[in-house]
Amino acid sequence: MSRILLTNARVNGAEQAGTIAVRDGVVESVTDLPPAPQPGDRVVDLGGQIVLPGFVDGHCHADKSLWGEPWVRRTSEVVSMEQMFEDTVAQWAATTTPVATRARAFLDECVAFGSTTIRTFVDVAPEIGLSGIEGLLEVREDMRGLTDLSIVAFPQLGLLRRPGTDALLEEALKLGVDAVGGLDPAGIDGDALAQLDIVFGLAERYGVAVDFHMHEDGELGWWLIRRIAERTRALGMAGKVSLCDVFSLADPTPERLHEMGTTLADAGIAVAVGVHGLLPVPDVRTLHRLGVSMCLGSDSSRSLWSPWGDGDILSRAMFMAYKCYFRRDEDLEFALDMATTLGREAFGLPSVEPRAGDPADLVALPGEALGEIVVCPPRRGLVMKAGRIVARNGALVNSE
Ligand SMILES: [Zn+2]
């Protein structure tokens, strides 16, 4: 593959523009010097755009997305979890577009926004069997070279309360999903320890990562964190366990937040921070100081459950920063770090800073300063995945 020189590139918002040389999917050099093209080089002038590491979306639900479908007019306010489940089952039956088609439409949008690494949760339930998993495995294959897609088999309707779901999770692991998920071990299944036994047992048997969605708040949530930390330590799974939607982190006392953060950090459990309309965002600056690994996620976007969300992880950083009332540039830049470098660290992925030797996963976008692009996310000028330009001006490209 010929070398690509990205010129007039302001790496991570540096005042001085430089040149990033990319060859065979890897950053060859990053220099302040003017470009010195060699025969065969392709020169792409970024015109002073800021260049960032490719974004990480640590929590989305591509199988649920209705991206590309006609707008669904919603007339009722679904309130209880049980109602949401009933609504989900009804919509599974009513949605005729194949899951792979809908998921791909959404994930293409995520890539055009700059997500070069995406983790999606895929529903598994007796009502739909493994149809979602099979669809997303196909999409994962088709999108190689566009984004690194990892799949978590997810018991959306509960595990114990839907007999047969544990066997489906195991079948999904045999088919090659990347991780096994749990959901509200106490709140939905009512027997938290039994759900933890099943999920951690599968993870141990198949050597995969574990994630729990955890909507239990208050003391129950704190109790669950300790149980999950115990198992993580006992199984030597530090760095392979994550939590989404940790409602109990939203508004604890300062003392309790310190205990929770220390417990998560010591056990090596990462948190995909949710940005929800009704809930406060956790005190992410304190959690980071305590050593907790964190990323952001676009969560359920234009889905069976919610009209909100567009797959743009930078917009998630904006919403988080807004809800946290971040005003200092240092804080705004931290929000951006959660979508990039810290997000990669949360999943143990190699750095894409970009520095010489890094995989060439990059996003270029116009703007004066990093804080500015968080407050007012601009259209992405260019997205590069593994050394190949995959999107320009907010849309995928096929032939570059
Ligand atoms: Zn979720």
Side-chain angles (χ1 to χ4, degrees):
M1 194 187 286
S2 65
R3 194 167 70 146
I4 299 177
L5 297 180
L6 300 172
T7 65
N8 279 316
R10 293 173 49 223
V11 175
N12 290 311
E15 281 189 22
Q16 186 177 348
T19 300
I20 303 167
V22 175
R23 191 198 296 273
D24 296 332
V26 175
V27 175
E28 188 176 77
S29 63
V30 179
T31 170
D32 291 341
L33 300 172
Q38 298 163 6
D41 282 350
R42 178 176 170 209
V43 178
V44 177
D45 187 348
L46 293 178
Q49 290 186 87
I50 292 172
V51 175
L52 298 171
F55 299 153
V56 177
D57 188 337
H59 171 200
C60 74
H61 292 266
D63 63 326
K64 282 189 174 67
S65 184
L66 297 171
W67 203 264
E69 296 290 292
W71 180 260
V72 176
R73 186 168 178 81
R74 291 157 210 275
T75 54
S76 64
E77 187 71 54
V78 178
V79 283
S80 74
M81 194 61 94
E82 201 55 50
Q83 281 173 291
M84 289 176 91
F85 287 167
E86 285 171 17
D87 195 40
T88 299
V89 172
Q91 292 198 54
W92 277 339
T95 306
T96 54
T97 304
V99 63
T101 306
R102 290 183 289 103
R104 180 63 197 264
F106 172 70
L107 291 166
D108 278 352
E109 196 71 10
C110 296
V111 173
F113 278 125
S115 289
T116 55
T117 300
I118 301 171
R119 177 185 245 198
T120 188
F121 292 74
V122 182
D123 295 349
V124 164
E127 287 84 346
I128 53 165
L130 295 171
S131 56
I133 295 289
E134 287 159 356
L136 264 294
L137 286 169
E138 184 187 319
V139 171
R140 186 179 69 180
E141 199 56 37
D142 289 347
M143 293 192 79
R144 284 193 197 283
L146 284 177
T147 191
D148 295 325
L149 182 65
S150 69
I151 297 172
V152 186
F154 182 59
Q156 176 62 79
L157 304 183
L159 213 166
L160 303 170
R161 70 199 290 280
R162 279 290 198 285
T165 301
D166 53 348
L168 287 169
L169 289 176
E170 182 155 13
E171 283 305 308
L173 288 164
K174 288 178 183 167
L175 289 177
V177 301
D178 303 280
V180 58
L183 168 68
D184 293 12
I188 286 177
D189 269 351
D191 188 344
L193 299 181
Q195 188 187 115
L196 296 193
D197 285 345
I198 293 171
V199 174
F200 274 103
L202 287 169
E204 195 184 12
R205 236 175 6 262
Y206 288 86
V208 296
V210 161
D211 181 282
F212 287 92
H213 279 50
M214 242 181 67
H215 302 104
E216 292 91 342
D217 57 12
E219 286 302 303
L220 183 54
W222 169 221
W223 179 83
L224 271 170
I225 286 174
R226 282 175 286 160
R227 301 292 83 77
I228 290 170
E230 284 166 6
R231 279 168 168 72
T232 303
R233 280 194 291 267
L235 295 172
M237 286 186 67
K240 293 186 75 176
V241 178
S242 56
L243 305 175
C244 288
D245 295 350
V246 193
F247 283 11
S248 57
L249 280 174
D251 53 2
T253 62
E255 296 74 24
R256 178 52 49 79
L257 183 69
H258 189 275
E259 287 178 302
M260 295 168 105
T262 305
T263 299
L264 291 165
D266 289 349
I269 298 172
V271 175
V273 173
V275 183
H276 299 95
L278 287 170
L279 284 175
V281 170
D283 181 350
V284 287
R285 298 293 330 234
T286 296
L287 289 171
H288 178 64
R289 275 194 291 277
L290 293 170
V292 181
S293 293
M294 290 178 291
C295 65
L296 284 166
S298 58
D299 204 347
S300 193
S301 296
R302 192 176 294 186
S303 69
L304 304 171
W305 284 16
S306 169
W308 291 96
D310 61 3
D312 182 4
I313 209 68
L314 185 54
S315 290
R316 283 287 153 166
M318 176 190 71
F319 285 128
M320 187 193 81
Y322 180 72
K323 290 196 70 158
C324 292
Y325 201 45
F326 285 166
R327 295 168 62 80
R328 299 182 307 166
D329 280 81
E330 179 191 325
D331 293 328
L332 296 170
E333 289 161 11
F334 176 79
L336 189 59
D337 281 347
M338 283 182 61
T340 56
T341 305
L342 295 176
R344 294 190 71 80
E345 287 174 9
F347 292 111
L349 298 168
S351 142
V352 292
E353 277 314 293
R355 283 184 297 238
D358 284 350
D361 287 10
L362 313 168
V363 185
L365 63 183
E368 185 185 339
L370 299 180
E372 179 197 1
I373 63 172
V374 172
V375 169
C376 191
R379 178 190 281 188
R380 306 317 108 89
L382 178 146
V383 180
M384 176 177 274
K385 174 65 188 171
R388 197 167 70 88
I389 295 169
V390 296
R392 274 185 187 269
N393 300 317
L396 291 195
V397 293
N398 292 321
S399 56
E400 293 193 45

